[in-house]
Amino acid sequence: MRYHTHIMTSLAVGACIASQTSLPFTVSYAAGIVIGSLIPDIDEPNSYVGRRSLGMANKVKQAFGHRGMTHSLLVWAVIAIVLLIQSPSLFSYGFIIGYLLHIIEDFFSVQGVPLFWPFLTKRYKSIVTYRTAGLLERVIYYISFGMFVYIAVSRDLFSEFTQSVIVFLQTTIQRLM
Ligand SMILES: [Zn+2]
């Protein structure tokens, strides 16, 4: 899955989660989702984050291979527990959700993911799969986009989001002054 599809599908599901729970759809929550939905591909030098990782992607890929360690549910669980204990913030919640969704999204790809690495190196995939950059992926992108806009408008997430951007800017300016 290409990076913009990861971002869009994760944002759509993240907005859905926010509208069904007490989690507010703020700028930190959304940023957490976007970053979390991209970070697992840090093990692929040619990916969107890989190209911006200052050489780190090459090292991770050499050590663990693409779609190895970073696409494991167990690694995700460890990261989630550490974040929840160390910094339980809206950004962390978004990051944990975005990261998990990335693994689920890749589970539906032809290549599959090693869900139980390091205990099992087998790659698991869904019965129904999509090809990276294929027609189905494009359809998924547009459906997610529509779903995101629908939830954001019907649940009024935009005003919540704008409010949080204003607060964010205010605190940043206050800190700088
Ligand atoms: Zn991936």
Side-chain angles (χ1 to χ4, degrees), residues 15 19 24-25 148-163:
S19 71
F25 193 81
F148 175 70
V149 174
Y150 174 75
I151 297 168
V153 172
S154 64
R155 298 287 176 148
D156 199 22
L157 296 184
F158 286 130
S159 65
E160 205 170 51
F161 184 78
T162 320
Q163 203 83 46

Side-chain angles (χ1 to χ4, degrees), residues 6 41 67 71 102 106:
H6 272 305
D41 283 343
R67 288 202 181 179
H71 288 69
H102 181 111
D106 279 357

Side-chain angles (χ1 to χ4, degrees), residues 86-105:
Q86 294 292 324
S87 69
S89 61
L90 278 173
F91 178 85
S92 297
Y93 294 135
F95 186 90
I96 292 165
I97 292 169
Y99 197 125
L100 177 64
L101 290 171
H102 181 111
I103 298 176
I104 296 172
E105 286 148 19

Side-chain angles (χ1 to χ4, degrees), residues 28-48:
S28 356
Y29 175 71
I33 289 181
V34 171
I35 295 171
S37 79
L38 293 176
I39 220 73
D41 283 343
I42 191 87
D43 61 2
E44 175 47 65
N46 291 321
S47 72
Y48 182 78

Side-chain angles (χ1 to χ4, degrees), residues 48-144:
Y48 182 78
V49 273
R51 276 181 276 131
R52 289 157 179 78
S53 68
L54 306 170
M56 224 180 95
N58 279 313
K59 295 202 178 79
V60 182
K61 191 180 183 179
Q62 268 166 18
F64 305 105
H66 178 46
R67 288 202 181 179
M69 176 182 83
T70 56
H71 288 69
S72 160
L73 275 183
L74 304 176
V75 172
W76 166 80
V78 171
I79 294 173
I81 291 167
V82 171
L83 277 178
L84 289 177
I85 294 171
Q86 294 292 324
S87 69
S89 61
L90 278 173
F91 178 85
S92 297
Y93 294 135
F95 186 90
I96 292 165
I97 292 169
Y99 197 125
L100 177 64
L101 290 171
H102 181 111
I103 298 176
I104 296 172
E105 286 148 19
D106 279 357
F107 171 74
F108 284 92
S109 70
V110 180
Q111 298 96 319
V113 272
L115 293 176
F116 305 106
W117 187 96
F119 300 110
L120 298 168
T121 46
K122 178 182 162 28
R123 284 169 177 234
Y124 296 86
K125 64 176 175 186
S126 151
I127 308 164
V128 185
T129 54
Y130 65 85
R131 268 178 204 288
T132 301
L135 177 69
L136 187 57
E137 184 180 329
R138 244 175 294 162
V139 172
I140 294 170
Y141 176 81
Y142 288 112
I143 290 176
S144 310

